[in-house]
Amino acid sequence: MDLSSLEDIRPFYVMEILEKALKLQSLGRDIVHLEIGEPTENVDNLIINSAQNALSKNLDKYTNSFGIESLREKISQYYEKVHHTLIPTERIMITTGSSAGIILAILASTSINDEVIVVEPHYPCYPQILKILGRKPKIFPTFEEDNFQINVDKLRATISQATTSIIINSPSNPTSVSQNQDVLESVVRMNLKIISDEIYHGLSFNPKIKSIIEFESKNTFIVNGFSKLYAMTGWRLGYIVIPSDKVRSVQKLQQNMFICAPTISQYAAVSAYDIKSEVQKKILKSYEQKRDFALRFLDEIGIKVNYVPDAAFYILCNFEDYCESSLDLCKDLLDKVGLAIAPGIDFGENYKKYVRISYAGSMEELQKGLMLLKEYILKYK
């Protein structure tokens, strides 16, 4: 892209809130963090022990650009068991976080100036990555009153001759909503190239949630990773499932851009698939309990949330009665009461009066943060 076009790239506002919050903490302020979608559970000992074992065996050099075979086999087995879909390991590539997977998928499936539909509210980086790579984000809004489901007829009508692809995030950041099965099936039939970001799969309160790969789209990239489900945010490890005809293209991109994913993280992640299901169920239950508490509390203080998150750890809240700009509101909350939350403008223009609350941390942190929110509303609004 032209360097002058960097002016069109928006900041990642929630990261700026985080950076300011951390600076205030370093100066001695007490800050409650409900802004970042980062699980605070400790990484499971099975994963840590595998990392230590790899280090003790000096397994810390470059790997194959696709990643170690043992991890790719585990991923293949997971998709066969959970999604009843057989994926050969040749179509699975381990990436440096899911963000690298998204970049590789965009580069392999689209061309310069292609229109790529981005479903709003969206992960903040999607439009910015597309612009950096010379693609044109085409924003398609969904709304709270529709439970943030894609209106298939409206989506079909928005496709132009320049539209080649769509990015779907289900379950979604920032809503924690999953698209219904009939929506996913309809999108597959639209003959668009699909990038399906499924980083929150495995964190669903509804066991019937589908991966789009179950509908056998030959034009679909699946992006996933270990940051959210296994609390491995700092290990920077993701993966993509690649359409058969794009495998060689993605391999060349990986070789030239990233070489390979972090080696120690790869060996560690093999053991993630050996964690007992009871452990994962306990974590998931804790998220569900925190969601229910947050929804009740918000309702009691007059913040109406007209949908129910069915996965992960976010609630997108309408604050139009309290602000014109949620970015200004979030800055003020941080300054006045020491509460960090995410401004809705990060997730799209239609959500500039919304905020996102993350309950990825402890129940204690959530309770303390919501009390600060109540204090702020009573005192300043």
Side-chain angles (χ1 to χ4, degrees):
M1 67 181 294
D2 190 312
L3 287 178
S4 63
S5 300
L6 285 173
E7 294 298 320
D8 295 332
I9 305 303
R10 275 189 174 178
F12 197 164
Y13 289 114
V14 69
M15 295 306 297
E16 297 197 341
I17 295 290
L18 173 63
E19 288 160 12
K20 184 175 180 181
L22 293 175
K23 184 175 181 179
L24 289 172
Q25 275 185 302
S26 72
L27 297 173
R29 282 281 304 274
D30 287 331
I31 303 295
V32 176
H33 293 275
L34 302 184
E35 80 277 38
I36 295 297
E38 182 171 50
T40 55
E41 292 86 15
N42 292 329
V43 174
D44 193 278
N45 283 333
L46 285 175
I47 295 171
I48 293 171
N49 291 340
S50 290
Q52 292 172 335
N53 184 54
L55 281 168
S56 70
K57 294 180 178 179
N58 297 317
L59 297 173
D60 55 358
K61 303 298 187 284
Y62 293 135
T63 72
N64 182 305
S65 61
F66 280 94
I68 61 174
E69 185 69 18
S70 56
L71 180 55
R72 291 156 63 208
E73 286 175 353
K74 289 281 190 178
I75 294 168
S76 178
Q77 291 164 9
Y78 171 83
Y79 274 86
E80 186 173 10
K81 178 182 178 181
V82 175
H83 297 297
H84 315 293
T85 304
L86 184 60
I87 303 170
T89 57
E90 292 79 12
R91 290 179 55 200
I92 298 169
M93 175 177 282
I94 313 302
T95 59
T96 307
S98 61
S99 296
I102 290 166
I103 291 169
L104 291 169
I106 291 170
L107 287 171
S109 62
T110 63
S111 300
I112 298 291
N113 292 324
D114 277 2
E115 282 184 355
V116 179
I117 294 171
V118 177
V119 179
E120 184 193 55
H122 52 69
Y123 175 56
C125 298
Y126 294 152
Q128 314 316 320
I129 291 171
L130 288 168
K131 287 186 282 187
I132 290 167
L133 298 178
R135 278 65 173 171
K136 296 180 178 179
K138 187 171 191 174
I139 303 301
F140 179 82
T142 62
F143 301 99
E144 185 175 1
E145 56 265 31
D146 300 322
N147 200 41
F148 297 108
Q149 294 296 304
I150 294 170
N151 183 309
V152 173
D153 292 332
K154 289 181 179 179
L155 177 62
R156 193 176 288 113
T158 202
I159 297 171
S160 72
Q161 287 187 333
T163 309
T164 63
S165 310
I166 183 171
I167 299 176
I168 292 178
N169 180 209
S170 174
S172 159
N173 173 9
T175 65
S176 288
V177 162
S178 306
Q179 293 298 315
N180 294 333
Q181 178 175 334
D182 58 343
V183 169
L184 296 177
E185 288 183 293
S186 296
V187 171
V188 167
R189 291 195 295 267
M190 287 184 190
N191 200 32
L192 291 169
K193 297 169 186 174
I194 300 168
I195 299 171
S196 183
D197 183 352
E198 301 184 357
I199 190 66
Y200 296 99
H201 266 248
L203 291 173
S204 174
F205 311 133
N206 177 359
K208 296 181 180 179
I209 294 300
K210 300 284 188 180
S211 166
I212 204 166
I213 204 166
E214 295 178 52
F215 307 119
E216 300 181 356
S217 171
K218 296 179 181 179
N219 294 316
T220 299
F221 283 82
I222 303 295
V223 181
N224 208 326
F226 299 85
S227 292
K228 309 299 183 179
L229 182 56
Y230 299 107
M232 295 175 67
T233 52
W235 299 64
R236 307 313 304 137
L237 200 70
Y239 62 86
I240 49 175
V241 178
I242 310 166
S244 298
D245 63 341
K246 297 294 184 182
V247 169
R248 178 58 175 156
S249 297
V250 176
Q251 181 187 25
K252 290 187 289 184
L253 288 167
Q254 172 88 323
Q255 289 169 342
N256 282 280
M257 296 178 70
F258 303 106
I259 300 179
C260 66
T263 301
I264 299 300
S265 298
Q266 292 190 56
Y267 281 104
V270 173
S271 292
Y273 293 97
D274 297 326
I275 296 172
K276 292 182 179 179
S277 61
E278 290 78 11
V279 175
Q280 294 299 114
K281 287 177 182 177
K282 184 178 179 180
I283 293 171
L284 191 58
K285 186 65 177 177
S286 75
Y287 287 144
E288 191 171 15
Q289 290 170 342
K290 285 181 283 187
R291 177 203 65 180
D292 293 345
F293 170 80
L295 289 173
R296 286 195 306 271
F297 191 101
L298 290 166
D299 184 65
E300 289 169 5
I301 64 173
I303 307 297
K304 302 300 179 184
V305 179
N306 297 311
Y307 79 101
V308 179
D310 62 36
F313 32 67
Y314 303 118
I315 302 174
L316 190 64
C317 311
N318 189 340
F319 268 65
E320 64 182 357
D321 292 340
Y322 302 98
C323 70
E324 288 299 316
S325 162
S326 63
L327 179 58
D328 291 339
L329 175 72
C330 289
K331 290 177 179 178
D332 203 42
L333 272 164
L334 186 57
D335 288 336
K336 286 190 167 71
V337 298
L339 174 62
I341 56 177
I345 190 64
D346 252 347
F347 312 109
E349 287 293 332
N350 285 298
Y351 298 93
K352 61 186 177 183
K353 296 183 182 180
Y354 281 68
V355 302
R356 188 197 69 185
I357 293 171
S358 169
Y359 48 92
S362 68
M363 177 64 87
E364 181 183 6
E365 186 94 342
L366 177 63
Q367 291 170 335
K368 189 175 179 181
L370 292 177
M371 285 301 295
L372 289 174
L373 179 61
K374 180 180 180 179
E375 174 190 328
Y376 176 86
I377 290 173
L378 291 175
K379 189 172 183 179
Y380 299 105
K381 294 296 179 179

